[in-house]
Amino acid sequence: MKLSDVFAEKNGMITFVGAGGKSSLLRKLAAEWQEEGHPFLLTTTTKMGPEQVQEYDPVFSPDFEDGLRQVQEKLDQYGYAAWFQERTATKAVGLPVDWLDSVYCAGLVQSILAEGDGAGQKLLKAPREGEPVVSRLNETVVGVLNLGALGRRLGPDIVFRLELVAVLLGKDEGEVITPGDYVTLALHERGIFSRTYGEKLLVLTNVESADLDIAEEMIARISERPGCDIRRFLVTRGFDKQLEPVKIVG
């Protein structure tokens, strides 16, 4: 199974949120779409590392009309494009949501791939006020939880915004992360899907750090919770362009 198969019928505006695999998922899907000739625009509504996007020959333009013109040229040349407002020493600064909406409504490109928040390369996170940054026109929101944190102790080495996660989980630093904590992060109103729009796809990454049975148990516990509005689940293994789907549910 290819990652593009998972998005075969869900390929409009797709935003990735959470921690521990967003960029890998985005880059893997982009690589498969490049091979398949599926047109897309890649960007972020926050910031990404320049090294993560350089291979797409990105447009850096803080002017909407100028950027749009350059994006069209890239689409004509490659069949895909990446667009950011500017490049600093450490970050590629993304686009405002209203720019994404204008591009999307204009039908310039078939699909938009966007990262909607940052996670400092940690395995788990909880969003602060004002994030994730997701368009109301977004069709699919991909929430990412990394199984590599399971059984480890809650701490700043693996958790982004530790104080928020600790409050959310009702735990102190140093306590062990359990399967129930993943359920909370997936379903809590201040969890990874907070302030998002579109159909929810929950991805459990890094299955090599836990048994597939554990991932399946988590999915069952999440989907059986009253009021759960997550309709699809994906389990993956591998990192970056070596990432591969293991199981899709829903």
Side-chain angles (χ1 to χ4, degrees):
M1 176 174 55
K2 298 172 62 178
L3 190 60
S4 60
D5 295 335
V6 178
F7 293 91
E9 298 178 2
K10 308 289 182 182
N11 55 14
M13 190 185 300
I14 303 170
T15 303
F16 298 78
V17 301
K22 293 193 305 291
S23 296
S24 287
L25 284 160
L26 184 149
R27 286 162 55 84
K28 178 65 173 181
L29 183 56
E32 291 182 359
W33 277 354
Q34 284 175 301
E35 293 178 0
E36 297 167 6
H38 180 104
F40 65 88
L41 172 66
L42 185 149
T43 189
T44 178
T45 55
T46 53
K47 299 174 182 178
M48 294 179 69
E51 71 284 351
Q52 295 177 315
V53 302
Q54 195 56 47
E55 67 182 281
Y56 305 105
D57 191 16
V59 172
F60 291 99
S61 177
D63 179 82
F64 179 77
E65 295 299 334
D66 173 66
L68 200 63
R69 176 187 59 77
Q70 293 190 60
V71 165
Q72 184 63 72
E73 291 175 355
K74 300 293 185 184
L75 289 170
D76 292 341
Q77 182 178 359
Y78 303 122
Y80 60 87
W83 182 9
F84 305 87
Q85 289 193 78
E86 64 175 328
R87 175 175 179 163
T88 70
T90 58
K91 294 294 181 182
V93 180
L95 305 184
V97 167
D98 60 333
W99 288 20
L100 286 185
D101 291 348
S102 295
V103 171
Y104 190 58
C105 291
L108 182 67
V109 65
Q110 186 172 348
S111 299
I112 296 176
L113 300 177
E115 279 200 8
D117 60 0
Q121 298 183 324
K122 302 298 174 64
L123 301 181
L124 296 177
K125 74 163 292 184
R128 67 183 178 188
E129 189 67 31
E131 69 170 15
V133 183
V134 180
S135 166
R136 291 179 180 271
L137 301 180
N138 190 66
E139 295 188 21
T140 304
V141 56
V142 181
V144 181
L145 294 172
N146 191 305
L147 293 171
L150 185 63
R152 297 176 64 177
R153 296 190 180 277
L154 195 66
D157 55 327
I158 60 171
V159 176
F160 189 64
R161 302 217 169 89
L162 174 60
E163 67 286 355
L164 294 180
V165 174
V167 169
L168 197 66
L169 300 180
K171 289 190 167 183
D172 295 323
E173 183 176 347
E175 291 191 59
V176 174
I177 298 168
T178 67
D181 296 330
Y182 283 77
V183 177
T184 299
L185 288 168
L187 294 178
H188 198 283
E189 62 180 6
R190 297 195 306 276
I192 61 169
F193 286 110
S194 176
R195 292 176 286 273
T196 62
Y197 305 92
E199 180 180 292
K200 296 176 181 177
L201 168 63
L202 178 64
V203 183
L204 300 177
T205 62
N206 196 11
V207 72
E208 44 276 77
S209 294
D211 290 337
L212 181 58
D213 290 346
I214 294 176
E216 292 174 337
E217 178 187 345
M218 284 185 192
I219 291 171
R221 291 178 63 179
I222 292 168
S223 60
E224 291 168 1
R225 280 285 187 91
C228 175
D229 59 353
I230 303 172
R231 299 290 175 254
R232 292 195 300 157
F233 301 83
L234 176 65
V235 182
T236 71
R237 63 176 168 234
F239 176 75
D240 202 35
K241 291 184 180 178
Q242 283 67 55
L243 179 144
E244 60 180 358
V246 174
K247 184 167 185 176
I248 179 77
V249 178

